[in-house]
Amino acid sequence: MKEPFIDDPSLQVILKDIPTPFYLYDERGIRTAVRRLRSAFAWNPGFREYYAVKAAPTPGILQILKEEGCGCDCATETELLLAERCGFGSEDIVFSSNDTPASAYRKALETGAYINLDDISHIDMLDEIVDEWPKTVLLRYNPGGIFALGESKEGFQVMDTPEESKFGMTEAQIHAAVEALQKRGVECFGLHAFLASNTLSDEYYPVLAEKLFELAVRMHIKHGCPIPCIDLSGGIGIPYRPEQRENNIEAIGEGVRRAYEKILVPAGLTDTAIWTELGRYITGPHGALITRVIHRKETYRTYIGTDSGSQDLLRPAMYGAYHHITVMGKEKDPCDGLYDVTGSLCENNDKLAVQRPLPSPAVGDVLFIHDAGAHGHSMGFQYNGQLRCAEYLYCCDGSVRLLRRRETPDDLFATLVW
Ligand SMILES: *Cc1c(COP(=O)(O)O)cnc(C)c1O
């Protein structure tokens, strides 16, 4: 069973002052996730998590992560501006962009972020922008083909198709990029790859690490360059469904350590730092969308109309993603039917759940929509004149703090020319 991080009586207290819908984040859960990750990689002195800003671009959350020692991973100029305003300095930012506009590179160079190059053709573009090339550059690798692991009767545990992915460079391009950059004075190289998303397998990181470590050794031998960091990027998943098993982060850290000892150490690469850019794993389970049932409509199906919808949580409509729903106060009641949980957009895929067994949701009931703490609010939009909802932090001491207010019509109209 999946349990909300806040019980019904405590949530009802909050609801006296705060109108639905809103996001609620659990400070304790976020801090615990980072600490467990760091302890799983404590064997690597240079280890650092660079939180993927796009997962929850909210200063109140980024500041918690900063306090816990994380850096951040930005992909756009705006994310760089946000990171800078949150106090992240040059050593604290990895800029992992793709299809990058010149203005974003300009900003990245100004902040001193580590540049993670998505493509060899960007070198010429950067030549026009840099005064002096940084000493260290990261290169994003795409091995092509199909990435699959953990085959069982039900299929593969993890399966993705790097060949169809727009990200990263081939190995030949990586070698050519190293040579081109060495001519420009770059001395040290990092490697990065993101081959599968939301993985529920303790093998994903270790298998990815082996691929990157082997490539690092080939680069080191061929070009004589130091490899100060290898960035395993994001991709560690969370159990969205109640029957799914949680990743074992200690086993993941240990698996990467074994690959490090087997591949990097014998090649003399003994002080390469392991970096991660996790988003979902760090904040996903520790954020929820809190919404209230405002209608119950019976036609060919029963529709539970909420005061929220896809504009606040797009993942179900976009990928058919499952987000578990707890009807607060009815946690122990039996499910009495199948329900489509909807919003008010004029689009029929505006559903937070489809044919979901629930314990008789009634008008006025509050729904706790689980695992919305990453790629949740940040994917929100304003279609149909929807105003994006507020975000609050459920602090370790039980108090509640506003992180982002609800949008107003004036916010929406601010860019219009009348
Ligand atoms: C989205 C993204 C991440 C974070 O992915 P999660 O699935 O949240 O772990 C990390 N790095 C890059 C480059 C990304 O695009």
Side-chain angles (χ1 to χ4, degrees):
M1 207 178 100
K2 266 179 113 63
E3 290 189 16
F5 56 73
I6 184 168
D7 60 18
D8 185 48
S10 311
L11 184 59
Q12 293 304 332
V13 172
I14 296 176
L15 287 162
K16 286 203 178 93
D17 299 321
I18 302 175
T20 54
F22 59 90
Y23 269 76
L24 188 64
Y25 299 90
D26 179 27
E27 178 181 6
R28 188 190 310 273
I30 294 172
R31 289 190 188 274
T32 305
V34 182
R35 289 176 196 177
R36 284 187 60 192
L37 173 70
R38 288 180 48 186
S39 113
F41 284 87
W43 56 266
N44 182 254
F47 175 79
R48 195 158 191 209
E49 153 72 358
Y50 292 82
Y51 179 75
V53 166
K54 71 170 191 267
T58 305
I61 291 174
L62 298 180
Q63 277 147 6
I64 291 172
L65 295 168
K66 187 162 174 287
E67 281 170 24
E68 293 293 335
C70 299
C72 63
D73 160 41
C74 298
T76 61
E77 189 176 350
T78 319
E79 287 181 355
L80 287 165
L81 285 165
L82 184 66
E84 205 176 28
R85 280 188 64 171
C86 289
F88 290 94
S90 57
E91 301 279 296
D92 305 325
I93 306 174
V94 175
F95 184 58
S96 290
S97 63
N98 71 94
D99 187 25
T100 317
S103 61
Y105 272 135
R106 236 173 253 123
K107 184 70 204 170
L109 290 162
E110 185 195 311
T111 59
Y114 289 102
I115 306 276
N116 181 21
L117 270 194
D118 180 67
D119 187 40
I120 189 165
S121 67
H122 292 206
I123 295 174
D124 289 341
M125 182 189 200
L126 272 158
D127 273 336
E128 311 272 309
I129 300 170
V130 292
D131 295 327
E132 192 186 343
W133 277 84
K135 194 165 144 264
T136 303
V137 169
L138 280 77
L139 303 170
R140 184 166 185 168
Y141 175 49
N142 181 333
I146 291 171
F147 182 85
L149 44 95
E151 192 178 1
S152 71
K153 275 199 217 76
E154 295 85 52
F156 291 102
Q157 263 176 35
V158 173
M159 160 100 182
D160 231 316
T161 45
E163 189 175 297
E164 293 171 14
S165 150
K166 67 171 175 165
F167 305 109
M169 295 180 246
T170 67
E171 176 163 355
Q173 289 171 332
I174 296 250
H175 290 299
V178 170
E179 282 165 15
L181 290 168
Q182 280 179 326
K183 287 197 191 108
R184 291 159 168 83
V186 177
E187 292 165 23
C188 305
F189 294 88
L191 270 178
H192 169 282
F194 191 164
L195 303 187
S197 185
N198 190 30
T199 59
L200 280 181
S201 161
D202 298 342
E203 289 307 305
Y204 169 63
Y205 256 15
V207 170
L208 169 68
E210 284 195 10
K211 279 184 190 290
L212 288 175
F213 294 169
E214 283 163 0
L215 176 55
V217 170
R218 292 194 291 274
M219 279 165 65
H220 181 62
I221 292 171
K222 198 167 164 138
H223 311 286
C225 53
I227 313 281
C229 53
I230 291 186
D231 184 342
L232 302 176
S233 188
I236 295 186
I238 57 171
Y240 285 99
R241 291 174 182 270
E243 69 274 15
Q244 285 173 328
R245 187 187 72 93
E246 200 181 326
N247 277 311
N248 178 342
I249 199 69
E250 289 75 27
I252 292 172
E254 177 57 21
V256 175
R257 189 190 66 77
R258 277 201 296 268
Y260 194 102
E261 297 288 333
K262 186 174 87 180
I263 300 163
L264 287 186
V265 172
L269 291 167
T270 53
D271 48 25
T272 299
I274 301 299
W275 293 355
T276 56
E277 296 172 348
L278 296 165
R280 193 185 318 268
Y281 176 79
I282 300 295
T283 57
H286 314 299
L289 172 59
I290 311 293
T291 173
R292 202 180 282 277
V293 176
I294 57 171
H295 292 288
R296 187 177 156 127
K297 171 174 177 172
E298 317 266 356
T299 52
Y300 308 101
R301 288 183 177 181
T302 305
Y303 295 97
I304 301 301
T306 69
D307 57 11
S308 178
S310 303
Q311 72 276 9
D312 294 324
L313 182 60
L314 178 59
R315 298 186 71 258
M318 187 162 173
Y319 322 113
Y322 180 98
H323 280 266
H324 196 66
I325 297 179
T326 297
V327 183
M328 297 306 285
K330 295 183 176 172
E331 294 87 342
K332 301 251 151 53
D333 294 6
C335 294
D336 70 338
L338 298 177
Y339 299 93
D340 281 15
V341 179
T342 79
S344 65
L345 296 183
C346 306
E347 284 286 341
N348 195 40
N349 70 345
D350 177 24
K351 294 180 180 178
L352 297 169
V354 176
Q355 294 295 281
R356 178 73 56 85
L358 290 171
S360 196
V363 171
D365 281 352
V366 171
L367 308 182
F368 180 101
I369 304 188
H370 293 250
D371 301 314
H375 316 293
H377 189 282
S378 58
M379 277 192 179
F381 56 91
Q382 297 154 316
Y383 184 60
N384 258 177
Q386 296 287 352
L387 303 172
R388 299 208 297 159
C389 72
E391 295 181 293
Y392 290 88
L393 186 67
Y394 184 44
C395 304
C396 292
D397 65 5
S399 64
V400 171
R401 182 155 73 85
L402 178 69
L403 302 181
R404 182 197 303 264
R405 67 163 170 79
R406 179 173 174 72
E407 285 177 354
T408 65
D410 283 342
D411 292 325
L412 199 57
F413 298 158
T415 54
L416 298 179
V417 179
W418 298 88

